[in-house]
Amino acid sequence: MVTDDPIRLRAELQTFPPYIPGRAPADVAGLTPFRLSSNENHLDPLPAVLEQLARPGSGPTRYPDDAAVALRRRIGEVFGVSPERTIVTTGASELLVAVTQITSDNRTEAIYPWPSFEMYPQVTGLAGAKRHPVPLLPDGRHDLQSMAEAVTDATGLVFLCSPNNPTGPVLTHAELTAFLARVPPHVVVALDEAYWEFATDPDAARGLELLDSHPNLVLLRTFSKAHGLAGMRVGYAIAHESIIEGLLKAVIPFGVTEVSQAAALVSLDHHEEVLARAREIAAQRDALADALRAQGWTVPQAQGNFVWLPLGEWSEAFEIAASRQALAVRNLGAGVRISVGPQEALDRVLDVTAAFLEEHPDLPL
């Protein structure tokens, strides 16, 4: 029987917005459109990966290897850990959901920097946890002092993001080491390293070196960014066996396809080439950041494959200005994130930013 009663959904759904992906670029006559809103790798895929994708697989009637044995073994070999300390998932996004599910409920608290990746409030809110977003420092870095002070007996999970998406700075190794020393060992610290391959700061945190001394640390990584496999949906974590055992209970069975596992495996076989390409993108990033600063913009330390303009209330106007030039950028309210793309796109970005400054001479920078 149909009634007028509303469908009963969890009240927590009203406490956070849905994840909204980056917009597609507008069609503008005479201009090639560029999507600089999703932090995708703009370089062509590795030839070896393309060759692998062209090979026939076992067919769609067969399930993939749920344990991703070969890929986990290769991850272990590349990063010097046992396969038992790894897990493979459908992108790093599933890892965020899973690590929240195994640590959080309506009796716990979760801490994360803000602004940072938009899924942090989503996954912790859906779990019912009490959320503590800790504002970033004015230069876009984590306020680790305030984050450590926010930890209570009820804290179950802390998210860190290095390089931080969307602002760009990394955690230094000294900062991360000191922070972990202040966090109780029962609190899981999830270090989101989706962009670690692009970081060129010699002082950047080296999470792998801290896993043995801090069993509550879990590294969240992805093949979507530096490896250029965003469409294949492959993420992985490295952590203590006890955390991996918990994550294995929370992830979707057979989530990573055979094709995706094979592509990621080949990409890892060419890991040095992946890192070289990441350095190429990092050089483009640094050149873009330097050019923006030369125009007069404030650009935080950029260590991912993007730059951040802290535009505040001017963010929407800038997004519109970029759209008129067939550029899609990411308006996140507090500012605009611009992904590194082909040089033609970055040249056009600099034209837009120069014109925007000229049109808004009173813009606070």
Side-chain angles (χ1 to χ4, degrees):
M1 181 179 66
V2 177
T3 70
D4 293 330
D5 293 337
I7 296 174
R8 294 181 181 178
L9 301 179
R10 293 181 59 194
E12 288 84 358
L13 293 172
Q14 304 302 317
T15 68
F16 58 88
Y19 178 80
I20 300 174
R23 292 183 179 180
D27 290 327
V28 179
L31 293 177
T32 301
F34 292 104
R35 183 166 71 175
L36 307 180
S37 56
S38 294
N39 287 348
E40 294 158 325
N41 190 323
H42 74 88
L43 299 178
D44 292 333
L46 291 172
V49 172
L50 291 177
E51 291 174 9
Q52 175 60 46
L53 292 174
R55 295 172 185 159
S58 61
T61 62
R62 302 293 182 184
Y63 285 113
D65 176 11
D66 184 44
V69 171
L71 183 52
R72 291 173 71 187
R73 182 184 301 120
R74 191 72 182 107
I75 291 170
E77 292 169 352
V78 170
F79 299 110
V81 298
S82 68
E84 291 73 25
R85 300 186 72 176
T86 69
I87 186 173
V88 172
T89 62
T90 51
S93 297
E94 186 184 12
L95 281 173
L96 297 178
V97 175
V99 76
T100 304
Q101 287 182 326
I102 69 171
T103 59
S104 306
D105 56 28
N106 59 8
R107 300 166 297 176
T108 67
E109 300 175 354
I111 300 168
Y112 49 86
W114 198 253
S116 195
F117 187 37
E118 301 107 294
M119 281 194 70
Y120 301 158
Q122 180 182 9
V123 295
T124 52
L126 191 58
K130 182 178 180 181
R131 286 159 289 162
H132 290 283
V134 177
L136 299 175
L137 296 170
D139 59 2
R141 294 185 302 116
H142 287 45
D143 184 351
L144 291 178
Q145 173 73 21
S146 295
M147 293 185 74
E149 291 173 353
V151 175
T152 70
D153 291 340
T155 303
L157 175 63
V158 177
F159 277 120
L160 304 175
C161 189
S162 181
N164 186 54
N165 173 22
T167 57
V170 292
L171 297 171
T172 69
H173 194 69
E175 286 175 332
L176 179 59
T177 302
F179 179 78
L180 290 171
R182 296 186 60 182
V183 176
H186 66 273
V187 175
V188 171
V189 177
L191 177 58
D192 187 343
E193 294 186 315
Y195 304 92
W196 73 271
E197 295 97 334
F198 300 106
T200 54
D201 186 338
D203 295 324
R206 303 180 299 278
L208 278 170
E209 297 180 11
L210 299 173
L211 287 173
D212 288 339
S213 56
H214 297 280
N216 59 328
L217 176 65
V218 53
L219 309 182
L220 312 181
R221 295 181 170 186
T222 184
F223 285 88
S224 294
K225 307 303 180 182
H227 288 267
L229 297 177
M232 306 306 293
R233 310 309 302 132
V234 187
Y236 66 100
I238 304 175
H240 190 270
E241 288 89 340
S242 60
I243 292 180
I244 297 298
E245 290 172 3
L247 290 172
L248 286 169
K249 297 179 180 180
V251 298
I252 300 170
F254 306 109
V256 185
T257 68
E258 177 190 0
V259 173
S260 296
Q261 291 184 40
L265 189 58
V266 170
S267 195
L268 270 184
D269 287 340
H270 295 79
H271 193 238
E272 290 304 316
E273 189 174 350
V274 169
L275 293 179
R277 287 154 57 94
R279 288 191 292 271
E280 178 182 339
I281 291 172
Q284 288 184 285
R285 171 204 69 205
D286 291 345
L288 175 62
D290 289 343
L292 288 167
R293 293 180 184 117
Q295 288 183 352
W297 292 92
T298 297
V299 181
Q301 180 200 46
Q303 290 289 294
N305 66 336
F306 52 87
V307 297
W308 173 250
L309 300 181
L311 280 156
E313 63 180 307
W314 298 94
S315 297
E316 184 176 0
F318 184 89
E319 180 186 26
I320 293 171
S323 178
R324 289 172 178 161
Q325 296 301 315
L327 297 173
V329 297
R330 192 65 181 271
N331 170 17
L332 293 166
V336 171
R337 189 192 68 198
I338 306 171
S339 305
V340 172
Q343 193 57 49
E344 179 186 352
L346 302 186
D347 291 341
R348 198 183 305 166
V349 165
L350 292 173
D351 290 341
V352 171
T353 53
F356 196 82
L357 285 177
E358 186 175 348
E359 294 170 8
H360 302 86
D362 297 329
L363 187 69
L365 297 175

